[in-house]
Amino acid sequence: MRLRHKPWAEDKLNEFPQYAIGNPEFYKGKWTTAFEKEQPLHIEIGSGKGRFITEMAKAHPDINYIGIEVYKSVIVSALDQLIEVDLPNVKLLNIDASDLGKFFEKNDVDRIYLNFSDPWPKTRHEKRRLTYKTFLDIYKHILKDNGEIHFKTDNQNLFEYSLMSFSLYGLLLKFISLDLHNSGFEGNIMTEYEEKFSNRGNRIYRCEVKY
Amino acid sequence: MRLRHKPWAEDKLNEFPQYAIGNPEFYKGKWTTAFEKEQPLHIEIGSGKGRFITEMAKAHPDINYIGIEVYKSVIVSALDQLIEVDLPNVKLLNIDASDLGKFFEKNDVDRIYLNFSDPWPKTRHEKRRLTYKTFLDIYKHILKDNGEIHFKTDNQNLFEYSLMSFSLYGLLLKFISLDLHNSGFEGNIMTEYEEKFSNRGNRIYRCEVKY
C-alpha cells in the first residue's frame, strides 16, 4: 500500500496506550493480563488499517486479538477505529514481525493471521516474505503446540511459494481454498485490500496450516 | 470421458503383447527386462488414449514409460499410436490402479504421473480418488525411496483435496503451479483432455510431491 507520512502518528499512539500497547516487553509471557478476559489470543501480522482485526474482535468476543503493524502511519488508522468503538478484546502493537520473539513467549499465541502480506517478488528478497522459514521459526517459538497460521492472499506466486515453504518446514496443511470467494467458506472477514482486489476480479487464496 | 464400447478391444490388446503387456506378474521386480534399455521407469496411472505417455517417451528416450489404463476401449487408442510409431521405451498395461501392488515391487518405479484423474466429487466416493491415502500407500510400496508423484488437473476441488491428502500423508511439496499454462513452466506435454479444457479457459493446476 502507498504510505502517507503522518508525523503526528507516534504522538497519537502514545496518547492511547489502552489500545496501542506501548510497553510490550512487560506483557511477555502474560499477554492475557493486557485484556479484560483470559481467553485465547490470536494475532494478525501486518494488520494495516485494522478492518480485519476489529471485525474479527466484534464477531468473536471470546477471543483476544492483537493487530501488529510496523508502519505507524498505517496503524493509527486502526487506532481511530478502536477509539470509536472501544472493543475490550483487541489491542494494537507497532513492532516489526522479526521482533516478535522479543515480546512473546512460547504458548503466548494460539493462532497467527497473515493477510495479504507483502509478496516481495524478487528472489533476493525471499527472506523478507512472512512465510520464509526464519519467520516460521519465530511463529513456532511463540505459538502453542499445534498452533495454527491462517493465511490469505491474492498473490499467486506468494501463495505457491508459501505452500512449498510450509511443506518443507513440516507444517500440516489443514485447509486450502484456491478461490475463497467462490468456495462457500463461511465467516470470511475481508481486509480493506481484499475487498478492493477481489472487486477487480482477483482470486483470493487461503489456507490453514498447523505446527 | 465418455466410453464407447469396443468389443474387439481385448483381442487387439492380445494381438500386440510387445506393446500391451499381457503378463505383468512376470515382470514384478524386474520391469527393466520388459524394455530394451535399463533406465529409470516412470508410470502414468490413467493414461487414457496415450498422448501424454507417447509424447513423453519421444521427448525422453532415456526413461522407460508404462501407461496404465483400466478401460480396454480407451487403452486400444494408445495401442494404435504405438503400432504406428514403435517406441522402444513405452509399454501399456490394462490393469486397475488398486492392483498395482500385485504387479510392481518396492523400487520398481521412479516416478508416478497422475493426469486429470477422475475427481469423484461426492464425499462418499473419496476412497476412489487416486490421491486418497490408500493409493498413496500403494504408490509408496512400489516407488523407490524419494520417488515422486507429478500430478496435474483442471479440477480445483480435486487439487485442493489432493494437496491436503499429500500433506497429511507427510509428502514433501517440491513444486506447485496454480496456473500451469501461464507459469513459464517448460517441457509441459499436454494430454488430450488438457488441450480441450485449457482451450475453454480452465486453469491447469500442477504439483510435484516427494516421499
Side-chain angles (χ1 to χ4, degrees):
Chain A
M1 103 182 67
R2 193 180 299 164
L3 295 180
R4 193 157 59 90
H5 185 55
K6 299 175 182 172
W8 42 267
E10 182 158 8
D11 285 346
K12 187 158 186 186
L13 291 170
N14 291 333
E15 204 181 320
F16 294 92
Q18 67 274 43
Y19 303 124
I21 304 274
N23 54 340
E25 57 285 351
F26 173 81
Y27 292 106
K28 189 174 182 177
K30 51 179 178 180
W31 274 98
T32 50
T33 65
F35 294 90
E36 278 186 11
K37 290 187 194 161
E38 190 170 331
Q39 46 193 16
L41 178 62
H42 296 183
I43 68 175
E44 183 188 16
I45 303 173
S47 52
K49 294 179 184 172
R51 174 167 154 190
F52 177 83
I53 203 82
T54 52
E55 294 298 317
M56 288 294 278
K58 286 178 203 168
H60 304 283
D62 53 338
I63 306 285
N64 291 328
Y65 292 91
I66 300 177
I68 292 169
E69 173 56 53
V70 67
Y71 295 112
K72 285 184 174 55
S73 53
V74 176
I75 203 171
V76 284
S77 298
L79 177 60
D80 284 338
Q81 294 193 45
L82 293 188
I83 291 168
E84 206 165 299
V85 298
D86 189 30
L87 292 160
N89 60 331
V90 55
K91 305 288 175 194
L92 302 172
L93 196 48
N94 172 227
I95 63 166
D96 192 291
S98 56
D99 290 331
L100 277 163
K102 292 184 192 166
F103 307 119
F104 291 85
E105 261 182 16
K106 181 74 185 162
N107 293 325
D108 270 350
V109 180
D110 293 84
R111 184 181 295 172
I112 291 172
Y113 287 99
L114 299 176
N115 293 322
F116 301 88
S117 310
D118 192 326
W120 292 108
K122 291 178 182 162
T123 304
R124 70 170 194 273
H125 291 149
E126 180 191 355
K127 292 181 181 180
R128 301 186 190 178
R129 297 175 196 155
L130 287 179
T131 51
Y132 182 66
K133 63 183 176 191
T134 54
F135 284 106
L136 300 183
D137 277 337
I138 292 172
Y139 307 154
K140 184 179 183 177
H141 181 71
I142 69 173
L143 277 168
K144 290 194 175 137
D145 292 336
N146 302 318
E148 298 186 0
I149 303 171
H150 291 202
F151 172 50
K152 57 182 174 177
T153 179
D154 67 328
N155 189 290
Q156 183 191 320
N157 289 333
L158 179 66
F159 198 67
E160 291 168 344
Y161 169 83
S162 301
L163 290 174
M164 287 187 276
S165 182
F166 294 147
S167 177
L168 190 60
Y169 202 86
L171 304 189
L172 174 70
L173 182 64
K174 268 187 62 188
F175 171 87
I176 184 165
S177 174
L178 300 175
D179 190 3
L180 182 65
H181 292 191
N182 295 304
S183 70
F185 180 80
E186 288 181 9
N188 184 48
I189 286 181
M190 284 204 272
T191 72
E192 291 88 348
Y193 183 96
E194 182 175 359
E195 184 161 36
K196 186 169 159 188
F197 282 81
S198 64
N199 282 344
R200 292 184 188 174
N202 289 22
R203 273 194 198 206
I204 307 301
Y205 303 98
R206 183 176 183 279
C207 70
E208 299 176 6
V209 294
K210 194 165 118 172
Y211 277 84
Chain B
M1 104 181 66
R2 193 179 301 163
L3 294 180
R4 191 158 58 91
H5 184 54
K6 298 175 182 170
W8 42 267
E10 182 158 8
D11 285 346
K12 187 158 185 184
L13 292 170
N14 290 333
E15 205 181 320
F16 294 91
Q18 67 275 42
Y19 303 124
I21 303 274
N23 55 341
E25 58 285 351
F26 173 80
Y27 293 106
K28 189 174 182 177
K30 51 179 178 181
W31 275 98
T32 50
T33 66
F35 293 90
E36 279 186 10
K37 289 187 194 162
E38 191 170 330
Q39 47 193 14
L41 178 62
H42 295 184
I43 68 175
E44 183 188 16
I45 303 174
S47 51
K49 294 180 183 170
R51 175 168 153 189
F52 178 82
I53 204 83
T54 52
E55 294 298 316
M56 288 294 276
K58 286 178 204 168
H60 303 283
D62 53 337
I63 306 284
N64 291 328
Y65 292 92
I66 299 177
I68 293 169
E69 173 57 51
V70 67
Y71 295 113
K72 286 185 175 54
S73 53
V74 176
I75 203 172
V76 285
S77 299
L79 176 60
D80 284 338
Q81 295 192 45
L82 292 189
I83 291 169
E84 208 165 299
V85 297
D86 188 30
L87 292 160
N89 60 331
V90 56
K91 306 288 175 193
L92 302 173
L93 197 47
N94 172 226
I95 62 167
D96 193 290
S98 55
D99 290 331
L100 279 164
K102 291 183 191 166
F103 306 119
F104 291 86
E105 261 182 17
K106 181 74 186 161
N107 294 326
D108 271 349
V109 180
D110 294 84
R111 183 181 296 172
I112 291 172
Y113 287 99
L114 299 176
N115 293 321
F116 301 90
S117 311
D118 193 325
W120 292 109
K122 291 179 180 159
T123 304
R124 70 170 194 273
H125 290 150
E126 179 191 356
K127 292 181 182 181
R128 301 186 190 179
R129 296 175 198 155
L130 287 180
T131 52
Y132 182 65
K133 64 183 176 190
T134 53
F135 284 106
L136 301 183
D137 276 337
I138 293 173
Y139 307 153
K140 184 179 184 179
H141 180 71
I142 68 173
L143 278 168
K144 290 194 175 137
D145 291 338
N146 301 318
E148 298 185 1
I149 302 171
H150 291 201
F151 172 50
K152 57 183 174 177
T153 180
D154 66 328
N155 188 289
Q156 183 191 319
N157 289 334
L158 179 66
F159 198 67
E160 291 168 347
Y161 169 82
S162 301
L163 290 174
M164 287 187 276
S165 182
F166 293 147
S167 178
L168 190 59
Y169 201 88
L171 304 189
L172 173 70
L173 182 63
K174 269 186 62 188
F175 171 87
I176 185 165
S177 173
L178 300 175
D179 191 2
L180 181 65
H181 292 191
N182 295 304
S183 69
F185 180 80
E186 289 181 8
N188 184 48
I189 286 182
M190 284 204 273
T191 73
E192 291 89 348
Y193 182 97
E194 182 174 0
E195 184 162 35
K196 186 170 160 188
F197 282 80
S198 64
N199 282 343
R200 290 185 190 174
N202 289 22
R203 273 195 199 207
I204 307 301
Y205 303 98
R206 183 176 181 280
C207 70
E208 300 175 7
V209 293
K210 193 164 117 172
Y211 276 84

